Amino acid sequence: MPGKIIDLRSDTVTLPTPAMRKAMYEAELGDDNSGEDPSVNKLQEMSAERMGKEAGLLVTSGTQGNLVGILASTQHGEEIIVGDEAHCYLYEVGGAAAIGGLSFRPVPNHRGHLQPDEVAAAIRPDNIHFPRTSLLCLENTHNRGSGAVLTPAETKALCDVAHTNGLKVHLDGARIFNAATALGIPANRLTAGVDSVTFCFSKGLSCPVGSIICGSQEFITRSRKVRKMLGGGMRQAGIIAACGIVALNEMVDRLAEDHANAKILAQGLANIPGVITDPALAETNIVFFDVPDISPADLIAKCTGMGVRFQNTFGTRYRLVTHYGIERADIEAALSVISQAVAPLNAPRA
Ligand SMILES: Cc1ncc(COP(=O)(O)O)c(C=O)c1O
């Protein structure tokens, strides 16, 4: 039986740090529904400052943050532009359509790098037949884009197209600190042009729960009401916020370790015969690879049996995510396991 399970399925499997558990125990609490939880208020202020926005609002999850952001920026019946591989388009239960009465207008994703001219072409002109296009959604880093990073210049070019045409911009920055770390810049340089941004505490920052949405004071006032409507108004949520405060103080700088581990992992995978991956795409903490000649059920079962877990995303494609709790030695162990699992492919034929 393997010892430690090396769980590379997602950075959402991270457990709270000892400092977070202590902070939860000691957190000052109040009723956040009335804005009276000091820990929540502190986290919201700290987050807004990090994002360069006027205000912040704690939400239960990235999905809720994106939905609140989208609903607070649009009117029922409008259209929103999304990358065709965006998380809020593919993996959030179509909430914007189901709850907001919005239609999605997908544009080609290019690994998260939407093209300003393609966005411009998707914006509806004023015409009696068309819904109004009111929002552009961006994602940084891009989950399906192998953790791809949007630079400040790319973000600005996309925001300029949107704003010139009267659209707002919402950024799904679930992993915005991974992007900032990869570029070696403060996160507020990546959020400067967007109207709203969501980021998650419960992914690479290791918190057990929680995300936040930041924007102008007026936008956050509206968002607070939308959050309430969605059932996201919480009470003594300082229990959650306490971990977020630790995360902002202690867990952002260490993301560089996850990125270094992802690079070693990607390079190691590229050296295994039968495995297809481009190590240059491992910009942050997400690595995708393909093993075309083995069934996904077999590969996952073999690796899981040897103590290494990862996701089969589609077809013969797999995703590995590095995070807090995964050390350099775990990367070497994972490479050895994957190498053994695909070894029959590489055995000489009789
Ligand atoms: C880019 C991105 N946005 C949003 C989310 C949704 O976050 P949550 O799982 O907290 O709802 C995820 C989750 O993996 C994500 O990767």
Side-chain angles (χ1 to χ4, degrees):
M1 272 296 283
K4 175 180 179 182
I5 302 293
I6 301 169
D7 195 341
L8 298 165
R9 284 173 300 165
S10 176
D11 45 11
T12 58
V13 303
T14 43
L15 297 175
T17 65
M20 287 178 188
R21 291 176 189 267
K22 183 165 182 289
M24 275 191 262
Y25 184 72
E26 292 172 355
E28 264 194 88
L29 303 174
D31 188 344
D32 179 49
N33 225 34
S34 321
E36 290 170 9
D37 188 301
S39 304
V40 171
N41 291 341
K42 181 171 173 190
L43 180 66
Q44 289 175 166
E45 277 164 33
M46 286 171 76
S47 302
E49 194 188 333
R50 296 289 280 260
M51 295 297 116
K53 300 295 175 203
E54 285 174 7
L57 184 72
L58 182 65
V59 289
T60 57
S61 65
T63 300
Q64 188 178 68
N66 285 334
L67 186 55
V68 167
I70 290 169
L71 297 186
S73 311
T74 54
Q75 299 290 326
H76 192 95
E78 292 180 339
E79 189 165 75
I80 64 176
I81 298 180
V82 291
D84 62 9
E85 299 210 44
H87 197 279
C88 68
Y89 176 50
L90 291 183
Y91 300 123
E92 296 179 11
V93 208
I99 298 169
L102 300 160
S103 42
F104 287 106
R105 183 79 188 267
V107 295
N109 201 68
H110 307 290
R111 258 189 2 99
H113 301 276
L114 307 188
Q115 298 304 302
D117 57 336
E118 290 174 343
V119 170
I123 298 172
R124 305 276 199 161
D126 188 12
N127 180 303
I128 192 156
H129 299 94
F130 298 152
R132 192 174 95 84
T133 314
S134 55
L135 185 71
L136 169 65
C137 295
L138 303 177
E139 186 174 319
N140 195 12
T141 63
H142 200 281
N143 186 336
R144 290 261 300 202
S146 197
V149 175
L150 288 191
T151 63
E154 279 178 280
T155 309
K156 181 178 182 316
L158 289 160
C159 290
D160 285 351
V161 168
H163 290 147
T164 307
N165 290 282
L167 280 66
K168 299 262 190 249
V169 181
H170 173 71
L171 174 62
D172 175 355
R175 297 183 180 83
I176 193 71
F177 287 111
N178 292 87
T181 301
L183 293 168
I185 59 174
N188 63 15
R189 294 228 7 238
L190 296 168
T191 56
V194 306
D195 299 280
S196 56
V197 53
T198 304
F199 72 85
C200 295
F201 295 108
S202 56
K203 302 200 164 59
L205 301 186
S206 301
C207 293
V209 61
S211 293
I212 202 145
I213 176 151
C214 297
S216 69
Q217 185 59 63
E218 186 257 327
F219 167 83
I220 291 298
T221 302
R222 250 180 303 129
S223 295
R224 183 175 279 278
K225 193 142 189 168
V226 175
R227 182 189 69 172
K228 181 74 183 160
M229 183 181 71
L230 297 175
M234 295 174 279
R235 302 294 177 174
Q236 285 71 35
I239 292 282
I240 297 170
C243 297
I245 293 168
V246 173
L248 288 182
N249 286 334
E250 297 180 8
M251 301 301 284
V252 172
D253 290 345
R254 64 152 306 285
L255 292 173
E257 284 173 42
D258 299 340
H259 298 182
N261 281 337
K263 282 196 171 58
I264 294 167
L265 190 55
Q267 194 57 60
L269 285 168
N271 292 336
I272 300 175
V275 172
I276 299 173
T277 190
D278 179 354
L281 300 187
E283 293 176 70
T284 54
N285 68 332
I286 300 179
V287 178
F288 279 90
F289 69 97
D290 270 273
V291 183
D293 297 329
I294 189 165
S295 96
D298 277 1
L299 187 62
I300 293 284
K302 273 189 190 165
C303 291
T304 304
M306 289 188 274
V308 175
R309 303 193 69 182
F310 51 86
Q311 276 190 38
N312 174 220
T313 51
F314 52 94
T316 55
R317 188 134 234 250
Y318 303 89
R319 191 187 77 161
L320 303 162
V321 186
T322 56
H323 52 78
Y324 172 70
I326 295 294
E327 311 294 335
R328 171 69 194 271
D330 300 323
I331 299 297
E332 304 298 343
L335 285 169
S336 159
V337 162
I338 295 168
S339 183
Q340 287 172 59
V342 300
L345 290 177
N346 304 318
R349 289 178 199 275

